[in-house]
Amino acid sequence: MAVLNEEQTMLRDMAREWADNESPVTAFRNMRNAAPAEGYDSAAWSEIGQMGWGGIVVPEAYGGSDFGYLSLGLVVEQLGRNLAASPLASVGPAATAIAMGSSDAAKNDWLGKIATGDAVATLAIDEGPVHDPATIATAVADGKLSGTKEFVAEGDSADLFVVAAADGLYLVAGDEGVTRHSRTMADARSHAQIVFDHAPATRLGGTDLTQKIVDRATAVLAAEMLGMAEQAFAVTNDYLKTRVQFGQPLSTFQALQHRMAKQFTELELMRSVVEAALEAIDAGRSDIDQAVSLAKAVGGETLKLVSREMVQLHGGIGMTDEYDAGLYLKRAAVLEAMWGNAAYHRERFARLNDY
Amino acid sequence: MATAAELDAPTKPLDTFRHEARDWIEANFPPALKHAGNAMATIEGPADESADETAWRTAMGKKGWGVPTWPQQYGGGGLTSAEARVLNEELGRAGAFNPIGGMGVMMFGPTLLEYGTDAQKQKYIPDIAMGNVRWCQGYSEPNAGSDLANIQTFAEDKGDHYLVNGQKTWTSGGQWADKCFALVRTDKSQKHAGISFLLIDDMHAEGVEVRPINLISGFSPFCETFFTNVKVPKENLVGQEGQGWTIGTRLLQHERNSLSGGGGSAARMNAGNGITALAKQYRGADEHGRIKDADLRSRIIRHEMDQRAFALTLRRAALDAKSNQGPSAATSIMKNVGARITQDRAELGVEIMGMNGLGWEGEGFSSEEINQTRVWLWGKAVSIYGGSTEIQNNVIAKRILGMLDHQ
């Protein structure tokens, strides 16, 4: 655990308590079964808005708390533990794009609403099934943006899109020129295709803004993955202690103990790299890109290990829909691919280090 | 919040002491030794001391600064840990080093200070503080490796003395040691509670035989040690009879601390692009300057990331400890991850060099290549000594994850 200040500790504890009381895994399961169009739990999102978590990375002048990315990561990690279906991980980085790149008027229009949860903003970056920010065909002419974005998280309901065009980021608000196509995916969350056809768009300024924002989104995602991995591991550890075979709890078998010790070891490394990425963002370090790729690559491999072991170590019950292991497995695989899988980030890390 | 900057920043200025230390080092450190290493702290064996080295060791010993935080009454420096950090910084600044080390300093001394009688401390600690004696560790036996409590070396009660018989093994530096702290059995009817902690005063006495063990790397840093009817006075018992397991495992904590510090220095030593440069040198680069062999490159990337994650974990654990959150659970993984990284690094090095990475000695190989072979082979010990990787995994499973013993 990173060394936290008082407000961060309070925020983390509050998020954990809220997630355990108000958003346990059964809440996610209920959302999945009800299958609302927005792909998240809107009642829970409204509570999150009231608690101000939408504004954790929004500047104070615009109604946020400006606690920073480590704080946002701590909250998202707690929500991730219980697979809480909320757009928070998309909203934060999108808010930063607006805070960094837009006019005061646009900030006034949107940041306050984002901070209170009254507006959902999201990122529309990729144009294919694999993260590839270097290949973007979306273009803007005369303030009108056209292009097709794939697998846009919260795309089914977002009020506001931060869209990557070939020459940088743009803000698209409202439905003019915007068509949404739902995609039903294994994790039962919203990942829509968004077709922009001459949608009115405002340029978001700043150098390398696309990369900065995608890096932030990736770091927050890694925090969600950390929460999931830790909880998946904890559930498996508990299960091994209760499941009796050959007259003994499974947890007494050394072959299984060592598999758990291996996962624990990787989880400790994962925590270090994820927290370091979030801290690098808050400190404004020059090597945020490296820190983020390290976090996503190491974190992706660890979540993959832990979520697959969760199913295997549960045995047959892990294969049933009634049990939670499958929910973690399916969400894990989606997050592993999102914003670049481990191989993508290893290659990026290697290029940054001249390997 | 407390950040990395806080950890990495110099300790708070303790100005008066800093100036005292700086002046003293300036007056006493022989400039010829600048940036030399501490020969005593290695287990490779004692190099013959030069006059400068003797002078420096003697000066530091008399000052008590070889063991800066130990009590002055036993020859230590009596410094606070903050002052000791300042001293370390000043030594580093001057290109100097602490010339006093070894198992007496790292492991035995702290344990004796905790459990010894005043007479025992008076007898043994000042010599350790002066760097006058080398201690070795009589723990492992042929049938007591991972199952250390199975030791059989027997100390028979003969009234005013014990008569010790048995065999120890993996005695690091036994062939160069003057004295030995040993776990011996004083009661054959109980496993853990039958163990005592006994000091063997003279490794050259009659009945003590030390045979170096030749390792696969060609090094012989470890020995077999045989005790045959060795008389040991009763006052050499540390603590009570039967208290040896408690005292002995306390000593192992000191060992682990120094080993995970070793993991840290291994991480620093391996850091950077060394392996990448080596790969480009031996295997070539493509037109973009990347390591040509894509499969090798991919494995180097994984290794480098593993190492970076480990370095961040060491830093996180240090910050945890500093902010008084107590020892971090992360410390339990250090030994295994440090070993894995050290061994991966050596395997990559050998692979990159091809047949040249397996040269043993003589012509046809650079010294770097010969060294690579030896380092690779020596590195196989890292996951075995100090609690094997499997034992560490048992510890994680049982103590941290709460998984129970099989019945």
Side-chain angles (χ1 to χ4, degrees), chain B residues 84-102:
Chain B
R85 275 200 298 276
V86 170
L87 174 61
N88 233 340
E89 287 165 15
E90 287 304 312
L91 287 169
R93 204 192 59 85
F97 56 91
N98 182 349
I100 292 166

Side-chain angles (χ1 to χ4, degrees), chain B residues 30 57 71 96 111 121 171-172 176 199 252 257 260 297 303 307 310 317 332 337 352 369 376-377 390 395:
Chain B
R57 178 169 60 78
T111 310
K121 293 179 200 174
T171 323
S172 306
W176 304 299
L199 307 180
L252 287 177
N257 289 343
S260 61
R297 178 170 177 268
H303 168 69
Q307 188 168 281
F310 182 49
S332 66
V337 180
I352 287 166
E369 288 162 351
W376 166 63
L377 289 166
E390 289 70 23
V395 169

Side-chain angles (χ1 to χ4, degrees), chain B residues 79-224:
Chain B
L79 302 184
T80 63
S81 52
E83 287 169 332
R85 275 200 298 276
V86 170
L87 174 61
N88 233 340
E89 287 165 15
E90 287 304 312
L91 287 169
R93 204 192 59 85
F97 56 91
N98 182 349
I100 292 166
M103 291 190 189
V105 172
M106 303 304 298
M107 293 150 67
F108 174 60
T111 310
L112 191 71
L113 284 170
E114 193 172 335
Y115 289 99
T117 62
D118 185 57
Q120 287 171 333
K121 293 179 200 174
Q122 291 290 0
K123 181 175 173 190
Y124 296 110
I125 299 287
D127 276 333
I128 297 173
M130 284 298 294
N132 285 339
V133 294
R134 287 172 176 275
W135 283 84
C136 67
Q137 179 182 33
Y139 270 39
S140 295
E141 295 182 6
N143 288 313
S146 287
D147 182 11
L148 181 61
N150 192 42
I151 57 145
Q152 302 299 327
T153 293
F154 190 57
E156 189 184 356
D157 190 335
K158 292 286 188 183
D160 66 333
H161 69 275
Y162 294 105
L163 199 63
V164 177
N165 280 286
Q167 180 189 350
K168 293 291 176 182
T169 191
W170 307 124
T171 323
S172 306
Q175 69 268 56
W176 304 299
D178 306 301
K179 297 177 189 293
C180 176
F181 52 90
L183 293 182
V184 297
R185 185 157 295 289
T186 44
D187 180 351
K188 292 181 178 174
S189 69
Q190 313 181 72
K191 189 172 180 180
H192 294 81
I195 296 173
S196 298
F197 194 97
L198 196 64
L199 307 180
I200 314 288
D201 275 339
D202 185 1
M203 287 293 284
H204 309 291
E206 197 176 326
V208 181
E209 189 189 349
V210 179
R211 296 183 199 153
I213 301 169
N214 232 337
L215 296 185
I216 55 175
S217 55
F219 300 140
S220 304
F222 300 122
C223 297
E224 294 177 292

Side-chain angles (χ1 to χ4, degrees), chain A residues 1 241 248 258 266 272, chain B residues 313 316 320 340 394 401 407:
Chain A
M1 176 56 58
K241 289 175 186 174
Q248 311 219 29
H258 284 198
E266 301 307 321
S272 305
Chain B
T313 305
R316 180 163 69 85
D320 274 2
R340 158 171 113 193
N394 285 348
L401 305 181
Q407 298 305 315

